[in-house]
């Protein structure tokens, strides 16, 4: 948690990680060693400590843990809390600051935390390859009040929830239940509720296939909503899990529709992109329409090729 102007800014941030790979393990090591591993205590504020962000609950945290949450049931639910604080975070943090001693903290600690954050973000930006260009374009083109509705899909979980900056919580919509296919409906609702700025939906081809009929709802609504369909011709995350765990690929290759023809049948403006430099002009064109539009991203055409995303879930085997 960083509080500019307060000694609490020296507290170690909780830096989430998702996915398993040699690079992911390196990042986990960097966080443990340079941030959490060297911290005297951890102050977690409204932190869920989900499986994805804790490497399937293997992330080690300092033994002294102060957990603050508005929901009393969340405190100590995943990691034990040495001190439990329940209530409004602003009021409680202000009270904590007033109780801090006047002694100066380690002047190098804040810089160390910033360095770790930069290292993690830079490494992830490199790892996701061609996705990085899309992430940057979205933040540059969208209004800060624009809602980003993220369906459960690789771009959402690999970089949309960590590298894509959000400036207020109501602009970041995500189905907490974890089921695919809800993103488009949520995006249409958000676009209707906030018509003065564009809304963007991040969806995969598999998730969109679950609710193709919602495209007709989008067309009929006329809402200022741009649907980004990341098409890898299958259930990419399941394919990656099968490969990572030595299983034969099964049930992961989808018969996806021709999204250009589908959009045309609904009179929805459409662009297909993939190679370097193709996404940003397509996004600018779609946003300028001030209405519904669909952009299909050919994931297999992205350059550099993104690193595989494998969620840190336990896959049972015959031995374990």
């Amino acid at each position: 948690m960083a509080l500019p102007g307060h000694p609490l800014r020296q507290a170690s941030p909780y830096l989430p990680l998702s996915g398993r790979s040699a690079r992911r393990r390196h990042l986990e090591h960097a966080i443990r060693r340079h941030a959490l591993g060297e911290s005297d205590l951890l102050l977690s504020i409204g932190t869920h400590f989900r499986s994805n962000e804790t490497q399937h609950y293997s992330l080690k945290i300092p033994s002294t843990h102060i957990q603050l949450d508005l929901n009393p049931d969340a405190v100590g639910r995943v990691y034990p809390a040495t001190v439990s604080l329940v209530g409004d975070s602003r009021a409680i943090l202000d009270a904590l600051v007033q109780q801090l001693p006047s002694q100066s903290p380690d002047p190098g600690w804040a810089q160390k935390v910033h360095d770790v954050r930069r290292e993690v973000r830079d490494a992830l930006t490199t790892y996701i390859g061609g996705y990085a260009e899309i992430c940057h374009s979205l933040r540059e083109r969208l209004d800060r009040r624009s809602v980003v509705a993220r369906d459960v899909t690789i771009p959402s979980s690999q970089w949309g929830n960590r590298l894509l900056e959000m400036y207020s919580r109501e602009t970041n919509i995500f189905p907490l239940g974890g089921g695919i296919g809800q993103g488009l409906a949520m995006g249409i609702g958000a676009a209707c509720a906030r018509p003065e700025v564009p809304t963007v939906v991040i969806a995969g081809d598999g998730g969109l296939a679950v609710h193709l009929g919602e495209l007709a709802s989008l067309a009929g609504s006329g809402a200022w909503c741009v649907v980004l369909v990341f098409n890898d011709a299958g259930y990419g995350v399941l394919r990656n899990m099968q490969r990572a765990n030595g299983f034969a690929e099964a049930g992961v290759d989808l018969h996806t529709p021709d999204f250009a023809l589908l959009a045309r049948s609904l009179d929805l403006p459409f662009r297909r992109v993939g190679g370097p430099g193709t996404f940003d002009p397509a996004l600018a064109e779609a946003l300028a329409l001030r209405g519904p539009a669909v952009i299909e991203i050919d994931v297999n055409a992205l350059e550099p090729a993104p690193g595989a995303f494998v969620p840190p879930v336990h896959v049972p085997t015959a031995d374990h």
Side-chain angles (χ1 to χ4, degrees), residues 20 154 234-253 308-311 313 315-317:
R20 288 182 297 186
I154 287 177
Y235 287 121
V237 67
L238 298 181
R239 182 187 294 132
N240 292 342
M241 290 176 66
Q242 289 174 357
R243 290 174 179 175
N245 290 279
F247 298 127
E249 294 182 25
V252 294
D253 297 321
F309 172 77
V310 183
V313 296
V315 178
T317 64

Side-chain angles (χ1 to χ4, degrees), residues 15-301:
L15 302 174
L17 287 173
S18 294
R20 288 182 297 186
S21 68
R23 192 56 175 166
R24 296 276 72 72
R25 287 192 295 271
H26 167 73
L27 297 182
E28 180 184 2
H29 175 72
I31 286 179
R32 285 178 173 175
R33 178 179 176 184
H34 298 295
L36 295 179
E38 296 184 15
S39 300
D40 296 319
L41 64 86
L42 172 66
L43 171 60
S44 60
I45 304 165
T47 305
H48 290 173
F49 294 108
R50 301 189 320 152
S51 172
N52 276 11
E53 283 76 38
T54 61
Q55 292 288 302
H56 199 56
Y57 310 112
S58 66
L59 185 69
K60 303 300 182 183
I61 69 171
S63 57
T64 304
H65 175 206
I66 303 173
Q67 186 168 6
L68 193 167
D69 205 286
L70 192 61
N71 178 9
D73 293 333
V75 178
R77 180 164 54 195
V78 179
Y79 287 93
T82 311
V83 177
S84 302
L85 300 174
V86 177
D88 179 78
S89 61
R90 185 182 298 276
I92 292 178
L93 289 175
D94 285 343
L96 285 177
V97 167
Q98 299 303 318
Q99 298 298 318
L100 288 175
S102 59
Q103 65 211 42
S104 299
D106 179 357
W109 180 243
Q111 186 59 49
K112 182 180 294 186
V113 169
H114 289 305
D115 289 346
V116 171
R117 181 180 186 274
R118 184 174 59 252
E119 177 191 350
V120 170
R121 290 182 64 86
D122 289 350
L124 182 56
T125 299
T126 300
Y127 186 78
I128 64 175
Y131 281 136
E133 175 187 339
I134 296 173
C135 181
H136 177 75
S137 175
L138 285 171
R139 192 62 278 161
E140 288 295 308
R141 294 285 183 184
L142 290 179
D143 189 283
R144 286 194 171 207
R145 297 169 297 158
S146 290
V147 171
V148 178
R150 300 182 292 110
D151 200 13
V152 178
T153 186
I154 287 177
S156 172
S157 298
Q158 188 178 39
W159 53 267
N161 64 343
R162 289 176 289 159
L163 289 182
L164 183 58
E165 295 183 2
M166 303 290 180
Y167 302 104
S168 57
R169 64 178 303 173
E170 69 272 11
T171 63
N172 180 28
I173 299 180
F174 179 77
L176 295 179
I180 65 173
Q182 305 171 61
L184 178 54
M186 293 190 302
I188 295 172
C192 291
R194 190 168 285 190
E196 69 276 10
V197 292
T199 292
V200 164
V201 173
I202 295 177
D205 54 308
L208 189 61
V210 176
H211 291 293
L212 285 178
E214 295 292 354
L215 286 174
S217 300
L218 173 62
S221 72
W224 193 4
C225 180
V226 179
V227 180
L228 307 181
V229 185
F230 290 86
N231 187 357
D232 61 0
Y235 287 121
V237 67
L238 298 181
R239 182 187 294 132
N240 292 342
M241 290 176 66
Q242 289 174 357
R243 290 174 179 175
N245 290 279
F247 298 127
E249 294 182 25
V252 294
D253 297 321
L254 299 179
H255 179 76
T256 56
D258 184 324
F259 289 107
L261 288 176
L262 181 59
R264 189 183 309 163
S265 72
L266 296 169
D267 199 25
L268 287 170
F270 175 86
R271 287 282 299 273
R272 179 183 288 116
V273 300
T278 60
F279 178 79
D280 187 66
L283 178 62
E285 179 182 304
L287 293 175
L289 297 173
R290 302 183 70 88
V294 178
I295 300 176
E296 178 186 359
I297 298 95
D298 181 356
V299 173
N300 295 321

